């Protein structure tokens, strides 16, 4: 019985949160990796682009709420996502047209494009803050929990409760759906294949008649979808604050590089690697060992490998280690 | 002379702008802006050495700045004897253990052949080392932090004059840069950018959460100053005489003796804060001047030519027998050390160390905007970038307010849209920075004052 309790404890505090956080990172990491693989630059505006998409979704959510439209148990924001995606794609295409395309046509070095993306980051950040303000906003409505700790305890008669938030399930399910569609698209459709070809060898792809403009446009569209959904899911699960979104750029980059930048599947797994290691290394295992070990061996310290303050530092250290020993990432990068 | 015409014009415009602020807002604000412009100029010079001379991207400027600030604390704060008594020995022991770990890892790396065994040894050394560290430091940290947590709760520093920290900050930052450079300099340009950005976040996390070192987010306040305090100045006779002499024209206009006295004391209060800021400006100008002379000399020396050769064509430079890796590491350390000086200068100027305020937006990306806008590879350009961007960063809000009022003058004062815009005035500075960066990169990619190399 104690053993089951210990497992539930880990599930509740480590596994479920890490899985949902990992999904949110994974969407962002695929976004980074797609841009890197096809447009060939590190996009420092990632976090702020996600916050822009989320902001639009929040505005639509408010509008729907004021009209009295809701999805019942599901959050209204889900209804707002498609509209937000349309705006986001428009925004990205405009930015590409105004800013990035110039350097792409001039074939500037990737560093130049990364610098330009910093300019985009500043502007996007300003736009978001001017429109919606820098404050913390919660826009979740509908049923908060699928399974409450008390219900679970009553159902199973265990000491430990298992809480599953509806946002966590939503995050995981939506991520899986989106990612499967994306992989199907990249591997099976003609457009997807042309994108992969373009990423692999640009000149060869051009020779075989692939239209670069179309590839770039579709990349931005997919990026817009990923950014909006990733941002909205993160905001639903935690809350929306422009500054946190900017900061999230860092673990997202870590996930993309750990998975091998330019490799979407690697980025997808990288998100989970980062999330799980962050939470595994900063969780206090005292209670877990109290269940598992006999009473005489009970630990008296918290048994925490690292204090939770170092949550971010964990993912960055993993990144540094990966860069040192396998600069191309765990799953060889640079082939879409 | 003609070739320097645009440099001189740019600087004259900049100085005029600051003087205008002095006339229209106040001299204290103008001098504060000037001081921070000078600090930014030092930072941009550091970044410019790395990016402009050698083409290395360093997005870790925030980390070096914070280390410089840490140096200011560790040099100037008097040691907390009680804390040293309860935990000092163990902390020194920890330092010894860290050194031991590093050296034993190096020993294994050097003396063992590449094999699985070697990797296992290294992991074993690191893991056991960390466990021992944890056991030794845990109780010590706890007892150090328990010493008057509201006031101290840390080991304190050396109690030396804070001016020494400018040198110590350079060494701290240079040391970190050496380690990072050893790890990350082999990476491709954009990987290097990301890696340095993330490493600087780790540095900040450590400074924020290791309370025994510098109180973490509880901040260290009231650092000693290298210049006189306003309160002391106000009671000094020579200073009052000086202010009276300076303002004699205005004072003569006032007739009553009592009113004259009141006006004089007002002038003294204002004058003292201006005087203190002027002292800082003097110190900072000395630093900027020294750095400028040294970097200019370096730029036109054989070493500078070699750096440009490496930047423009690594393979060719390598083929000519130049050690690219070594030179990259050297310049990475030098540039970071300069940024460290700036960090220490900033904490000296503020008189407080607040780890929570170090954010990549302000300390990394803004500095990069300065370098790009000013002109990479040109020291005068870098300094100008520091001045111009910092000036805009501070004056963006008044400018934005003015523009908003201008464009919405047709709307009523209670108009929701206008009110919303006015409330979000502080965020227009990001917009201006971003637009500035994008425009400069598009239409003047080499910056306001582009790099010009005169071959003699």
């Amino acid at each position: 019985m104690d053993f089951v309790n210990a497992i539930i404890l880990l599930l509740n505090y480590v596994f479920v949160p890490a899985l949902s956080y990992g999904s949110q990172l994974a969407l962002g990491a695929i976004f980074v990796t797609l841009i890197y693989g096809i447009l060939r630059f590190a996009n420092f505006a990632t976090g702020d682009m996600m916050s822009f998409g989320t902001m639009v979704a929040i505005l639509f959510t408010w509008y729907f709420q004021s009209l009295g439209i809701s999805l019942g148990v599901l959050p209204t924001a889900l209804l707002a996502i498609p509209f937000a995606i349309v705006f986001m794609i428009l925004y990205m295409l405009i930015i590409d047209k105004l800013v990035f395309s110039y350097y792409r046509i001039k074939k500037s070095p990737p560093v130049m494009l990364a610098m330009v993306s910093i300019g985009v980051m500043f502007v996007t950040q300003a736009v978001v803050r001017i429109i919606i303000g820098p404050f913390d906003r919660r826009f979740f409505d509908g049923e908060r929990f699928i399974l409450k700790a008390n219900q679970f305890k009553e159902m199973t008669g265990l000491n430990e409760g298992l809480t599953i938030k509806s946002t966590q399930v939503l995050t995981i399910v939506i991520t899986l759906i989106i990612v499967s569609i994306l992989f199907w698209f990249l591997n099976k459709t003609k457009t997807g294949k042309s994108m992969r070809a373009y990423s692999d060898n640009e000149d060869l792809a051009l020779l075989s008649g692939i239209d670069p403009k179309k590839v770039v446009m579709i990349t931005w569209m997919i990026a817009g979808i990923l950014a909006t959904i990733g941002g909205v899911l993160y905001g639903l699960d935690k809350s929306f604050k422009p500054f946190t979104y900017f900061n999230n750029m860092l673990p997202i980059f870590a996930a993309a590089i750990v998975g091998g930048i330019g490799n979407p599947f690697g980025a997808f797994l990288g998100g989970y690697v980062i999330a799980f290691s962050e939470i595994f290394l900063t969780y206090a295992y005292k209670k877990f060992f109290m269940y598992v070990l006999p009473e005489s061996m009970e630990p008296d310290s918290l048994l925490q490998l690292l204090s939770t303050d170092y949550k971010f530092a964990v993912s960055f250290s993993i990144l540094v280690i990966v860069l040192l020993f396998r600069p191309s990432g765990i799953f060889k990068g640079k082939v879409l | 002379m003609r070739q320097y015409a645009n440099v001189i014009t740019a600087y004259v415009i900049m100085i005029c702008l600051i003087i205008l602020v002095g006339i229209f807002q106040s001299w204290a604000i103008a001098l504060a802006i000037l001081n921070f412009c000078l600090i930014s100029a030092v930072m941009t010079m550091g970044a410019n050495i790395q990016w402009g001379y050698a083409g290395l991207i360093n997005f870790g400027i925030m980390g070096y700045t914070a280390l410089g600030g840490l140096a200011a604390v560790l040099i100037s704060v008097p040691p907390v004897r009680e804390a040293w008594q309860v935990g000092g020995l163990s902390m020194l022991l920890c330092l010894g253990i860290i050194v031991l770990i590093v050296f034993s890892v190096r020993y294994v790396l050097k003396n063992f052949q590449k094999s699985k065994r070697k990797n296992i040894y290294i992991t074993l050394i690191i893991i056991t080392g960390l466990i021992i560290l944890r056991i030794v430091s845990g109780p010590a940290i706890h007892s150090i932090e328990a010493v008057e947590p509201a006031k101290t709760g840390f080991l304190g520093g050396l109690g030396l004059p804070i001016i020494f920290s400018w040198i110590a900050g350079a060494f701290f930052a240079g040391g970190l840069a050496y380690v990072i450079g050893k790890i990350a300099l082999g990476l491709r340009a954009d990987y290097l950018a990301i890696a340095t950005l993330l490493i600087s976040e780790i540095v900040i996390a450590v400074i924020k959460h290791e309370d025994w070192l510098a109180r973490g987010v509880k901040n260290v306040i009231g650092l000693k100053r290298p210049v006189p305090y306003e309160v002391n100045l106000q009671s000094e006779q020579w200073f009052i005489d000086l202010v009276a002499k300076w303002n004699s024209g205005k004072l003569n206009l006032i007739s009553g003796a009592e009113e004259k006295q009141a006006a004089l004391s007002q002038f003294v209060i204002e004058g003292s804060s201006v005087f203190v800021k002027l002292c800082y400006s003097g110190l900072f100008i000395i630093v900027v001047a020294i750095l400028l002379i040294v970097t200019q000399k370096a730029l036109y020396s054989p070493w500078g030519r070699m750096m440009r050769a490496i930047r423009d064509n690594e393979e060719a430079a390598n083929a000519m027998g130049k050690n690219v890796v070594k030179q990259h590491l050297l310049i990475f350390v030098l540039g970071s050390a300069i940024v460290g000086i700036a960090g220490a200068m900033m904490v000296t100027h503020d008189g407080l160390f607040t780890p929570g305020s170090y954010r990549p937006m302000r300390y990394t990306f803004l500095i990069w905007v300065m370098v790009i806008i000013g002109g990479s590879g040109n020291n005068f350009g870098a300094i100008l970038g520091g001045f111009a961007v910092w000036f805009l960063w501070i004056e963006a809000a008044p400018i934005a307010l003015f523009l908003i009022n201008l464009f919405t003058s047709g709307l009523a004062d209670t108009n929701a849209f206008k009110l919303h815009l006015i409330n979000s005035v502080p965020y227009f500075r990001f917009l201006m920075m971003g637009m500035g960066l994008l425009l400069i990169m598009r239409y003047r990619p080499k910056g306001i004052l582009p790099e010009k190399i005169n071959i003699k």
Side-chain angles (χ1 to χ4, degrees), chain B residues 273-296:
Chain B
S273 88
V274 169
F275 183 79
V276 169
K277 290 210 164 70
L278 268 180
C279 289
Y280 277 121
S281 311
L283 285 175
F284 293 168
I285 287 175
I286 293 173
V287 175
V288 171
I290 292 174
L291 285 175
L292 184 62
I293 293 169
V294 173
T295 45
Q296 274 307 94

Side-chain angles (χ1 to χ4, degrees), chain A residues 205-219:
Chain A
L206 293 182
L207 274 180
S208 54
I210 289 170
D211 180 9
K213 277 185 191 156
K214 192 178 155 202
V215 169
V216 169
M217 200 178 80
I218 288 177
T219 311

Side-chain angles (χ1 to χ4, degrees), chain A residues 52-301:
Chain A
F52 184 87
T54 318
M55 176 194 73
V56 180
I58 292 178
L59 294 179
F60 271 107
T61 311
W62 287 346
Y63 178 64
F64 289 141
Q65 280 169 345
S66 71
L67 289 183
I69 302 172
S70 82
L71 288 178
V73 287
L74 292 172
T76 320
L78 288 187
L79 201 63
I81 284 180
F83 298 94
I85 285 175
V86 173
F87 265 79
M88 187 69 196
I89 289 174
L90 268 180
Y91 180 76
M92 284 186 152
L93 289 179
I94 290 171
I95 282 193
D96 183 64
K97 185 89 199 149
L98 290 180
V99 182
F100 291 121
S101 65
Y102 173 78
Y103 300 94
R104 197 168 53 240
I105 292 162
K106 251 182 63 181
K107 293 216 181 292
S108 304
V111 174
M112 195 81 167
L113 277 156
M115 290 293 168
V116 171
S117 79
I118 290 177
V120 173
M121 171 184 91
F122 270 99
V123 172
T124 314
Q125 204 164 67
V127 169
V128 169
R129 285 175 199 212
I130 287 169
I131 293 179
I132 205 168
F135 311 108
D136 219 354
R137 292 191 191 274
R138 291 175 183 280
F139 55 103
F140 180 84
D141 50 1
E143 187 59 44
R144 184 100 222 171
F145 294 99
I146 287 181
L147 190 61
K148 280 187 187 165
N150 289 338
Q151 289 175 341
F152 183 81
K153 280 184 202 166
E154 274 171 31
M155 264 161 51
T156 54
L158 289 169
N159 284 338
E160 284 302 322
L162 180 64
T163 318
I164 298 179
K165 286 197 278 184
S166 53
T167 50
Q168 288 168 335
V169 176
L170 269 179
T171 305
I172 295 164
V173 170
I174 293 180
T175 306
L176 286 181
I177 294 172
I178 294 289
V179 170
S180 353
I181 294 176
L182 180 70
F183 287 139
W184 170 80
F185 175 78
L186 285 178
N187 291 322
K188 299 285 180 223
T189 64
K190 204 168 174 201
T191 333
K193 279 179 185 162
S194 69
M195 279 172 73
R196 282 169 51 211
Y198 187 81
S199 152
D200 196 24
N201 189 333
E202 193 179 337
D203 296 331
L204 218 56
L206 293 182
L207 274 180
S208 54
I210 289 170
D211 180 9
K213 277 185 191 156
K214 192 178 155 202
V215 169
V216 169
M217 200 178 80
I218 288 177
T219 311
W220 279 116
M221 289 167 83
I222 296 175
I225 296 171
L226 288 170
T228 316
I229 294 179
V232 171
L233 289 178
Y234 185 87
L236 279 178
D237 196 25
K238 279 132 191 160
S239 69
F240 172 75
K241 192 181 180 191
F243 181 68
T244 354
Y245 274 65
F246 166 71
N247 260 355
N248 275 347
M249 174 182 87
L250 304 171
I252 284 174
F253 264 126
I257 295 182
V258 164
I261 200 156
N263 176 349
F265 188 68
F268 175 63
L269 290 183
Y272 292 103
V273 170
I274 293 291
F276 272 93
S277 48
E278 266 187 21
I279 295 181
F280 263 122
L281 286 178
T282 56
Y283 178 66
Y285 287 96
K286 185 181 178 184
K287 226 175 162 188
F288 174 75
F289 281 108
M290 274 166 68
Y291 280 121
V292 176
L293 295 176
E295 227 161 273
S296 55
M297 286 170 64
E298 248 168 45
D300 46 357
S301 68

Side-chain angles (χ1 to χ4, degrees), chain B residues 140-194:
Chain B
I141 289 175
H142 191 76
S143 46
I144 289 173
E145 283 171 9
V147 180
E148 280 193 86
K151 260 169 102 196
T152 56
F154 71 127
L155 281 175
L158 297 175
L160 295 172
I162 198 165
I163 216 96
F164 288 123
S165 70
W166 297 6
I167 299 162
F171 276 101
F172 275 32
L176 175 72
Y178 181 78
V179 176
I180 295 179
K182 276 272 178 198
I183 296 174
L185 272 183
L187 298 171
R188 261 186 47 191
D190 30 9
Y191 275 24
L192 180 66
I194 297 168

Side-chain angles (χ1 to χ4, degrees), chain A residues 36 42 44 98-99 102-103 110-112 115-116 118-123 125-127 129-131 134 243 246 249-250 253-254 257 261 304-306 309-310 313 316-317 319-320 323-324 327, chain B residues 51 57 59 134 183 187-191 193-195 197-199 201-202 205-206 209-210 359-361 365-366 368-369 372 393 420-421 424 427-428 430-431 433-435 437-438 441-442 445:
Chain A
Y36 193 93
F44 282 94
L98 290 180
V99 182
Y102 173 78
Y103 300 94
V111 174
M112 195 81 167
M115 290 293 168
V116 171
I118 290 177
V120 173
M121 171 184 91
F122 270 99
V123 172
Q125 204 164 67
V127 169
R129 285 175 199 212
I130 287 169
I131 293 179
F243 181 68
F246 166 71
M249 174 182 87
L250 304 171
F253 264 126
I257 295 182
I261 200 156
Q304 200 175 8
L305 287 172
L306 270 172
D309 302 326
Y310 289 115
F316 305 159
S317 315
L319 174 82
V320 172
L323 280 180
L324 271 180
Chain B
W51 168 242
I57 297 196
F59 274 1
R134 201 56 197 268
I183 296 174
L187 298 171
R188 261 186 47 191
D190 30 9
Y191 275 24
I194 297 168
L197 180 66
L198 299 188
I199 292 174
E201 285 281 342
I202 297 179
V206 170
H209 302 300
E210 296 301 323
R359 291 187 172 172
M361 207 63 190
F365 294 119
L366 192 65
W368 269 94
V369 174
I372 302 280
W393 182 254
H420 182 89
L421 276 186
S424 35
Y427 315 116
F428 278 90
F430 294 108
L431 194 66
M433 290 300 122
M435 290 311 245
L437 183 67
L438 289 178
M441 291 210 66
R442 178 76 167 257

